Amino acid sequence: MQTSPLPPPGRPGAAAVVIGGGFAGMAAAQRLLRAGVETHIVERAPTLGGLPAWLGFMFPTGACLLCRSGDDHGSGCPRPAIGPEFNALCPHSLLHVHTGCQALAIEGEYPAFRVSVRRVEGDSLRGTPAQLLSRGPLDEGPLPPGFGPSAAVAGKSAGPAEFTLEAGAVILATGGALFDASRAGEFGYGRFPGVLTGLDFERMVSRNGPMEGQIVGPQGQRPRRIAWFQCVGSRDEDRDYCSAFCCMYATKQAVLAKQSDPEVECKVFMMDDRVFAEGFASRYAQAREQYGIAYERCRPSSLKRDARTGELYFRYVNNRDELVTERFDMVVLSVGLEPATDALALLGSSTAEVPFLPGTSAFRPGETSRPGVFACGGASGPKDMADATAEAAAAAALAIASLQQAAPAPPPAVPVREGSEGVAVIVASSSADDASDGPSALARVAQAWPEVKAATCLPLPRTAADRSALARWMATTGASGVVVAAGSARTDRRAFEAALAEAGLGWQSLEYVALPTDSEWTGKGSRSVALLRAAVTRASTLKPQEPAAPAVCPTTLVVGGGASGLVAALHLADGGRPVVLVEQEEEIGGNLARVPESLTGEDLAAELEVLMGKARRHPNLRLLTSSRVRRTRGTFGRFRSTLETPEGTETLEHGALIVATGAIEHRGTAYGLGSSGRILTLLDLEARLKADSTCLEDVGTAVFVSCVGPWDEDSSLAWRCSRTCCDGILRNALRLKRANPSATVHVLVRETMTVGTRERYYTEARRQGVTFTRFTPDRRPRVEVSGSDVSVSWYDPALREPIITAADLVVLAEAIVPRPQSASLAERLPLDGLDVDGFFASKEAKVAPFSTSRRGVFVIGLAQGPKPLELSVAQGLGAAQDVLNLLASPARPPWHRVAQVAPEKCVACLTCVRVCPYGVPDVDAAAVGVGGIAGAAWINPLACEGCGACVAECPQDAITLAGYDTAAVSAGEAAYYRALQEVS
């Protein structure tokens, strides 16, 4: 299916280079590493994280995406983050982070690329031209925390000024730059105090920003009125694209302003409400209804400042056609995204229809025109972070496949060294061991304790050489346990765990103490001594028990044979894993079988036929059509599903589950649907064109109505975007104009969602004479049928009068709605249930849009929510690669704590089964419980999330969390208070 077939695959294990260490680059690198691919990250900035690292709150949940909290962040926490997860991989022997470095060129051809890199002198994040009110430039606030072993200031890393990286695949994740608002001189940015960019405002409300979360005006006062100007640097003659995220960050910032000061007035001036993604529409409605944020459809042309009062003011025509002047204390410019200047040059292309990296096909999201080079995130166009996550996963999956590394080999087992009794203590220092400093003094105190066989002070293991030296010291002690006293567990613990594994000690051998910064190292009242004493006591009391991991079934069950399900199943099958694909219809293909062409002109029918043919013939793929999944039980590695097939009922064992059941087009009665053959839905029109490709030639007047859905029949239902309707309208409107250039085409829109580079098709349609007229929910168009005649009437706000026209064709862009059986299917499968719109819920909208809280269970495509084809395919590729990685290396990371059951204490009361939010505990009928009863609880260590709910609720105290048994915790607590008394 390659546009231009790739040369013979590269050597297995070849390295990959990710250019760009922002959000998408980090997400892609994670999957590469888990697939066993040696990975280089080249980042120009001094830290990883990109633009999201500057943000304090993420839309729509308010979560901090790159969170700076504890290392176990995510276990039971509603704010999943990418930062700690990536930091956990930083000691990885296959990861090489090059911060403060710029990729100059990609030379060679697949599979032998040479990426030339040059170190950047100085700190590229400082000296940012943005101004933060009257307090000076943005760089007066602290830099956002970085991630990784090289998250230091650029130019300080050792090594040559220029070097070359060899790779078999390259991923361009160069992101983009925010538009320089000073170029829009009409708004006075840099000249008028009180005019900010969106990023300036983010830094102001961020708790780690220069203002520490306080919103203040130019003279230090709290602003009473704040305005947001949308589309600054987007959707103009020079930048014919929508930046995708501006509408929502303006709404988020306005909500934050109202939460900070309920009395402040917030108004957003916009062209469209581009609330296109999951949760956006409901959050937008909340902003208006709960917080009272006003939205005005207006694109301001200029801004002036009153020299006497310092207020900012401008004139505009409001929603009631009145010419008004409004004054504000602060104006925030919602600046858009500009492409990275070097992205096209790195690809080797100098031209493109839009200034972002061009793709090749909706079926290969992330693939570029250069074989072996892939792209993701802002490099390929403006997009929301959830979309960037999916695209990064797809780019990584394609890169891994090109390297012949779709399924990683299990890591070699490290023989665990059996130590003698006793504990080794390491007090980490930021410098070499010094007899006069606090860490060394603390180590000497620990050396005197009877349980301690050896104690030392060593520098933090920032490099592989440091970790090796640390591992050698551990090996010489002969101790069975290791206690490390250092700083933040989030930044330091992983390096010590890597060294521990290198020394051949089990993961449970480590006790980590994060030393308080406000305590004396030693002496009276030293909490550092007390905490270290407690850790040593725990380590010497704890009896490590490694839970026996069950065998993992290599088969994956994919439910749904549409585009995303087919792509996922084929990627798994190509990766050497057996796959069972279950489709309830007689034929595979799903909704896509009814859409022959994409908005870009790609022949979707031909591409889909290739996919279906490959699925029917693949030796690793078993295809079951006219079949259903009746029930699935079990946990990751050992699911059991009951299938209904034409041949009868069968039971399937499988290790993972991918749900791709899709969605359907809503079909109601609004706008006369069903009363005339002239009134069609978009899919109806596609079917008519498939039967007769010339049917549009005789259409003189056509009217398209957007955003049609169940809310048109039930006003209590909330409106939301289906993300595909605008594509369908533009595709068919342009097709109609090509078939009959003299045709009159009206498009009646509630909202226009031509997000990202789709904006240029909206522009092209207007150039071709297609008229777009907005309607409001209280002034919907009317469609009347009289015999064979159809007429449409609507109110035109520009002409300020009603319009009525006879129509040869009325096309309704009906919403994507969940399948009727979704609720029952969610109960029969190990899913998290449904979201507010009735689609299968995902784990987290931004970071894990196709994962669920159940390990090994994924929801992709339209089953997870409305989205365009390329994102459905991207989720399919990403989920399939995640499954390949999981099945090849099913064990939990060494630092992950899981619950364990002592069968001899268990009475099989099923309390743990009821309280577990992840559905992990089960009853093992072969186990023997209290008093010899048959059956006891069993917890799959491969699926346990370590939340501890079962530990807390077990009435028999039969369950413990590995490394936290009651005896060890109680002994450590007692030792802590005794130590405080001794030093007080």
Side-chain angles (χ1 to χ4, degrees):
M1 282 186 54
Q2 300 292 339
T3 303
S4 51
L6 286 175
R11 66 185 188 280
V17 173
V18 179
I19 302 177
F23 173 73
M26 293 166 70
Q30 286 181 17
R31 287 171 170 82
L32 291 168
L33 291 169
R34 293 193 175 108
V37 176
E38 185 173 8
T39 303
H40 295 265
I41 297 180
V42 179
E43 169 56 47
R44 181 185 178 92
T47 62
L48 302 178
L51 283 173
W54 292 88
L55 311 183
F57 302 89
M58 297 307 303
F59 189 89
T61 61
C64 47
L65 187 74
L66 294 161
C67 187
R68 271 73 72 179
S69 69
D71 63 323
D72 288 329
H73 187 81
S75 297
C77 177
R79 292 185 169 186
I82 196 173
E85 186 178 3
F86 187 83
N87 191 73
L89 294 171
C90 283
H92 202 297
S93 61
L94 295 177
L95 176 62
H96 313 280
V97 179
H98 311 277
T99 52
C101 295
Q102 179 182 5
L104 301 177
I106 303 172
E107 300 172 339
E109 296 181 355
Y110 172 83
F113 294 110
R114 298 179 306 280
V115 181
S116 56
V117 181
R118 179 176 61 202
R119 297 196 182 278
V120 179
E121 292 297 328
D123 186 338
S124 62
L125 284 185
R126 296 197 181 275
T128 304
Q131 299 293 313
L132 184 55
L133 302 176
S134 61
R135 298 201 176 210
L138 179 66
D139 61 25
E140 288 190 2
L143 284 173
F147 302 97
S150 300
V153 180
K156 299 296 180 65
S157 303
E162 293 192 11
F163 54 95
T164 300
L165 301 174
E166 295 185 356
V170 178
I171 295 179
L172 296 173
T174 52
L178 292 179
F179 175 75
D180 182 359
S182 63
R183 291 159 57 189
E186 64 272 22
F187 298 131
Y189 182 72
R191 296 185 292 113
F192 297 161
V195 178
L196 284 69
T197 66
L199 185 57
D200 291 338
F201 194 86
E202 288 284 350
R203 299 303 297 145
M204 179 184 291
V205 298
S206 177
R207 288 183 292 266
N208 74 337
M211 305 298 184
E212 298 179 342
Q214 300 299 312
I215 302 176
V216 295
Q219 283 77 45
Q221 82 284 12
R222 295 186 67 84
R224 309 314 307 159
R225 303 196 72 211
I226 307 175
W228 279 261
F229 288 2
Q230 300 307 105
C231 302
V232 179
S234 298
R235 302 186 70 187
D236 56 28
E237 292 183 0
D238 297 326
R239 288 161 290 273
D240 190 17
Y241 55 83
C242 165
S243 290
F245 50 77
C246 317
C247 283
M248 300 330 301
Y249 82 60
T251 290
K252 176 196 71 175
Q253 291 172 355
V255 169
L256 291 173
K258 292 290 287 187
Q259 290 174 340
S260 174
D261 181 3
E263 300 302 318
V264 67
E265 294 182 37
C266 299
K267 180 174 280 191
V268 181
F269 294 86
M270 62 187 184
M271 293 195 290
D272 296 290
D273 306 329
R274 297 217 158 159
V275 288
F276 57 90
E278 179 184 353
F280 283 14
S282 58
R283 187 65 168 170
Y284 173 71
Q286 181 190 35
R288 287 186 288 109
E289 297 163 9
Q290 179 178 335
Y291 292 99
I293 296 166
Y295 291 84
E296 193 80 42
R297 292 192 185 275
C298 166
R299 185 165 187 167
S301 59
S302 65
L303 183 67
K304 297 181 180 180
R305 180 175 182 269
D306 189 322
R308 182 178 58 84
T309 65
E311 293 177 311
L312 303 162
Y313 67 95
F314 67 102
R315 303 180 72 190
Y316 69 98
V317 177
N318 64 17
N319 295 338
R320 297 177 298 279
D321 297 329
E322 302 167 339
L323 181 63
V324 297
T325 300
E326 288 211 52
R327 292 173 174 264
F328 297 92
D329 303 308
M330 182 181 292
V331 171
V332 182
L333 306 180
S334 294
V335 291
L337 191 75
E338 291 194 302
T341 56
D342 55 350
L344 285 170
L346 286 170
L347 183 64
S349 173
S350 58
T351 59
E353 293 185 37
V354 290
F356 295 94
L357 295 177
T360 60
S361 168
F363 287 92
R364 294 176 295 280
E367 184 182 78
T368 70
S369 56
R370 187 172 178 181
V373 178
F374 307 92
C376 62
S380 59
K383 53 182 62 69
D384 175 65
M385 285 186 180
D387 300 349
T389 298
E391 192 176 71
L398 292 173
I400 293 164
S402 74
L403 294 169
Q404 288 189 326
Q405 196 120 1
V414 177
V416 177
R417 178 178 58 79
E418 295 294 337
S420 61
E421 295 298 321
V423 175
V425 175
I426 300 171
V427 182
S429 170
S430 57
S431 62
D433 193 6
D434 185 340
S436 64
D437 65 11
S440 292
L442 185 58
R444 289 194 297 273
V445 170
Q447 182 69 73
W449 297 334
E451 307 97 320
V452 177
K453 295 191 67 174
T456 187
C457 177
L458 294 173
L460 291 172
R462 295 299 192 192
T463 66
D466 290 340
R467 291 195 296 272
S468 296
L470 184 58
R472 288 192 297 272
W473 182 86
M474 289 180 182
T476 62
T477 65
S480 59
V482 178
V483 175
V484 171
S488 167
R490 183 189 67 80
T491 58
D492 300 333
R493 179 170 179 162
R494 296 295 180 256
F496 286 102
E497 286 170 341
L500 192 72
E502 192 173 330
L505 289 168
W507 66 271
Q508 292 190 38
S509 302
L510 175 67
E511 281 287 332
Y512 191 92
V513 180
L515 296 177
T517 57
D518 59 347
S519 171
E520 294 292 333
W521 286 100
T522 58
K524 292 183 178 181
S526 171
R527 288 197 297 134
S528 295
V529 172
L531 287 169
L532 184 58
R533 190 71 185 89
V536 167
T537 302
R538 283 196 307 269
S540 58
T541 306
L542 185 65
K543 303 298 182 184
Q545 293 180 346
E546 193 74 30
V552 173
C553 179
T555 300
T556 300
L557 173 62
V558 179
V559 186
S564 60
L566 281 170
V567 168
L570 287 170
H571 190 75
L572 285 163
D574 289 341
R577 293 290 181 176
V579 184
V580 176
L581 177 60
V582 175
E583 168 57 48
Q584 68 176 359
E585 303 296 335
E586 294 182 3
E587 187 54 86
I588 53 178
N591 291 314
L592 190 61
R594 305 166 67 183
V595 183
E597 184 181 88
S598 72
L599 178 60
T600 62
E602 182 178 3
D603 190 344
L604 300 180
E607 295 272 15
L608 181 62
E609 190 60 40
V610 172
L611 273 181
M612 294 191 296
K614 188 176 179 181
R616 296 185 187 102
R617 298 186 300 270
H618 205 294
N620 292 336
L621 197 157
R622 181 185 175 205
L623 182 60
L624 297 175
T625 56
S626 302
S627 302
R628 299 173 185 269
V629 180
R630 179 187 292 176
R631 188 182 184 87
T632 298
R633 286 294 178 265
T635 51
F636 168 63
R638 45 187 296 169
F639 292 107
R640 291 174 63 89
S641 292
T642 303
L643 309 181
E644 291 181 355
T645 73
E647 286 73 34
T649 301
E650 68 172 88
T651 299
L652 174 71
E653 294 187 356
H654 51 103
L657 172 67
I658 297 178
V659 180
T661 50
I664 60 175
E665 181 187 56
H666 174 259
R667 297 191 70 90
T669 58
Y671 301 109
L673 183 63
S675 63
S676 170
R678 297 178 184 270
I679 305 174
L680 310 174
T681 69
L682 279 171
L683 287 183
D684 290 339
L685 178 59
E686 296 289 0
R688 183 171 294 185
L689 283 165
K690 186 175 182 179
D692 179 9
S693 60
T694 65
C695 66
L696 294 179
E697 294 178 359
D698 297 329
V699 174
T701 300
V703 179
F704 291 82
V705 183
S706 81
C707 304
V708 183
W711 41 84
D712 290 307
E713 297 145 34
D714 184 352
S715 59
S716 66
L717 297 177
W719 170 84
R720 56 165 175 75
C721 176
S722 289
R723 302 198 67 177
T724 61
C725 312
C726 287
D727 277 18
I729 289 174
L730 291 174
R731 180 176 66 249
N732 286 291
L734 289 169
R735 183 188 296 176
L736 196 158
K737 293 295 286 185
R738 287 194 299 269
N740 183 6
S742 63
T744 300
V745 182
H746 299 284
V747 179
L748 309 179
V749 298
R750 178 167 176 170
E751 298 296 342
T752 303
M753 299 292 184
T754 49
V755 177
T757 56
R758 284 172 163 80
E759 184 76 9
R760 61 193 177 99
Y761 296 99
Y762 177 43
T763 302
E764 178 61 23
R766 287 183 287 134
R767 285 175 179 158
Q768 295 296 328
V770 178
T771 62
F772 291 80
T773 305
R774 177 176 284 109
F775 66 86
T776 57
D778 58 337
R779 277 189 166 180
R780 292 186 177 93
R782 294 175 59 88
V783 178
E784 296 183 356
V785 179
S786 178
S788 61
D789 297 330
V790 176
S791 64
V792 184
S793 59
W794 66 91
Y795 177 78
D796 191 320
L799 299 177
R800 302 179 187 178
E801 62 182 30
I803 303 293
I804 185 169
T805 185
D808 300 312
L809 183 66
V810 176
V811 183
L812 307 179
E814 294 275 6
I816 292 175
V817 295
R819 292 188 179 276
Q821 63 270 34
S822 293
S824 62
L825 188 60
E827 294 176 356
R828 300 198 305 270
L829 301 180
L831 297 175
D832 297 334
L834 306 178
D835 63 17
V836 293
D837 296 319
F839 296 94
F840 295 127
S842 59
K843 185 176 182 179
E844 205 278 332
K846 300 288 188 186
V847 179
F850 51 85
S851 299
T852 69
S853 65
R854 310 293 180 92
R855 195 175 190 222
V857 180
F858 301 86
V859 179
I860 61 175
L862 296 183
Q864 185 265 330
K867 58 182 63 67
L869 173 62
E870 66 271 18
L871 286 178
S872 290
V873 172
Q875 288 192 342
L877 287 169
Q881 187 59 52
D882 284 356
V883 168
L884 289 173
N885 294 345
L886 279 173
L887 293 179
S889 300
R892 285 289 195 177
W895 56 85
H896 189 86
R897 310 280 180 166
V898 298
Q900 298 172 264
V901 179
E904 66 277 7
K905 296 182 179 180
C906 180
V907 297
C909 64
L910 304 184
T911 298
C912 56
V913 176
R914 290 190 294 269
V915 302
C916 178
Y918 306 101
V920 176
D922 200 356
V923 174
D924 181 2
V928 178
V930 170
I933 63 173
W938 177 77
I939 295 174
N940 183 355
L942 302 180
C944 177
E945 293 293 332
C947 68
C950 59
V951 179
E953 294 294 331
C954 179
Q956 293 294 110
D957 196 24
I959 308 176
T960 58
L961 201 61
Y964 294 101
D965 65 67
T966 303
V969 171
S970 299
E973 181 181 12
Y976 174 81
Y977 288 109
R978 281 199 307 270
L980 278 183
Q981 293 171 359
E982 290 170 2
V983 299
S984 296

